[in-house]
Amino acid sequence: MVKSLEKLVEEFAYHVQAQNEEIFKGDAKTGNKHAKKALAAFLQLRSHGDTGRDALAVLFSHPRMDVRVMAAVFLLRHRTAEAKAILEEAAKGQGLVPFGASEALKRWEEGTWALDPAEDDAGQSEEPRPAPPTKRSRPRTERAASARQRGSKRDKPSG
């Protein structure tokens, strides 16, 4: 039986709150279980297309900042202006939730955000594209080759 959209929104909000409460208590393992359940609720909402996404947007006015922020994070592509406004306001504060809001905004601005990819013409979700490698994240083979090009003391004959 398909859960109602309202029920999925309630589950999402409940698990976001529970995740943060567990993290604040120092229980990341239980917090991660709630995070997976919040994500599962979002994925079920997303399976209803924009109707499901719009249902989640009611959380933009939730009394808890952590719930507003998480809804905004997931709805950045679908409701960009509203979601950015919520994240920008939250990012002005101190603590874990404001930090998460500022990180989501950074990922959005740099183009690496991919929590709810746009659907292509066939209606299939695009695969998230990995960010281009940074200097620090180049594969070992590239680093090794560049080290050989520069040369090192080991390469010089001892004499």
Side-chain angles (χ1 to χ4, degrees):
M1 181 175 181
V2 175
K3 293 181 185 176
S4 75
L5 296 179
E6 291 162 353
K7 178 74 174 154
L8 290 168
V9 170
E10 288 173 20
E11 283 182 26
F12 180 89
Y14 170 79
H15 288 295
V16 167
Q17 292 175 58
Q19 173 193 9
N20 285 314
E21 288 166 9
E22 293 300 327
I23 288 171
F24 288 129
K25 287 193 270 185
D27 187 353
K29 185 176 181 181
T30 303
N32 287 339
K33 288 179 183 178
H34 286 290
K36 288 177 184 176
K37 290 179 181 180
L39 177 60
F42 172 73
L43 293 175
Q44 285 185 305
L45 285 163
R46 188 175 79 178
S47 73
H48 293 277
D50 287 347
T51 303
R53 291 177 182 95
D54 289 335
L56 189 62
V58 303
L59 296 179
F60 285 174
S61 60
H62 195 275
R64 286 185 53 143
M65 180 181 15
D66 55 351
V67 174
R68 289 191 308 271
V69 164
M70 194 59 73
V73 165
F74 278 95
L75 294 176
L76 261 169
R77 184 192 56 78
H78 180 64
R79 296 269 193 109
T80 305
E82 293 166 277
K84 279 181 72 175
I86 289 165
L87 295 173
E88 288 166 353
E89 182 62 31
K92 294 175 184 175
Q94 302 269 326
L96 186 61
V97 174
F99 174 74
S102 68
E103 288 298 303
L105 287 167
K106 284 181 193 174
R107 299 303 159 267
W108 179 257
E109 295 300 324
E110 66 191 23
T112 59
W113 176 94
L115 294 176
D116 182 24
E119 295 177 355
D120 64 18
D121 295 337
Q124 300 295 319
S125 294
E126 295 176 6
E127 289 298 315
R129 294 184 188 101
T134 62
K135 187 173 182 178
R136 289 184 176 186
S137 66
R138 286 187 294 180
R140 292 184 127 198
T141 54
E142 284 185 41
R143 285 195 298 266
S146 63
R148 279 195 299 273
Q149 292 167 354
R150 285 193 312 264
S152 69
K153 290 182 181 180
R154 290 179 296 193
D155 295 335
K156 295 180 183 172
S158 55

